[in-house]
Amino acid sequence: MLIYKILTAAQWAEFAQNGVFTGAPIDVSDGYIHFSTAAQARETAAKHFAGQPDLHLAWADGDDLGDALKWEVSRGGAEFPHLYRDWQMAEVLAHADLPLVSGVHQFPGDMT
């Protein structure tokens, strides 16, 4: 199953340069990297990144992340994917800009 991470442009640039993502401040504070499923990603953007420009979306196959990926109950009782280790650039399947149009983030049309 594909899982998605919303990053700021600065976080994405650092990830691309270093080849490893240790997490956004909230990830570091919580002790794991927060991901969303395709169905959860838009709500995550609206709740945590409302009105924020210059975002980037990256995704991975959750099955490729091994035992460090845990599915845990979070917002609204839904299970969210949480990665309990650094995320390696080699594990990124693809990425895209997440433009803000009329106050709404525009996601790639092929998210499944």
Side-chain angles (χ1 to χ4, degrees):
M1 168 185 265
L2 296 180
I3 58 173
Y4 298 84
K5 178 68 179 169
I6 299 170
L7 304 110
T8 65
Q11 290 165 348
W12 173 253
E14 185 176 334
F15 187 9
Q17 180 180 354
N18 296 335
V20 63
F21 181 67
T22 59
I26 188 70
D27 300 325
V28 173
S29 175
D30 288 347
Y32 54 84
I33 298 175
H34 294 260
F35 283 87
S36 299
T37 65
Q40 297 163 337
R42 285 174 180 80
E43 185 179 347
T44 296
K47 181 175 176 74
H48 299 288
F49 299 93
Q52 190 172 341
D54 299 323
L55 295 179
H56 206 79
L57 183 70
W59 56 96
D61 185 334
D63 294 335
D64 292 342
L65 301 180
D67 293 339
L69 185 71
K70 308 290 183 197
W71 290 84
E72 298 174 316
V73 175
S74 187
R75 183 173 67 226
E79 288 189 344
F80 280 74
H82 298 151
L83 184 62
Y84 283 86
R85 64 167 172 78
D86 294 345
W87 189 22
Q88 304 299 313
M89 182 58 75
E91 297 167 325
V92 174
L93 292 179
H95 58 92
D97 289 334
L98 201 56
L100 187 64
V101 178
S102 299
V104 178
H105 292 102
Q106 303 300 300
F107 283 77
D110 60 349
M111 285 179 60
T112 56

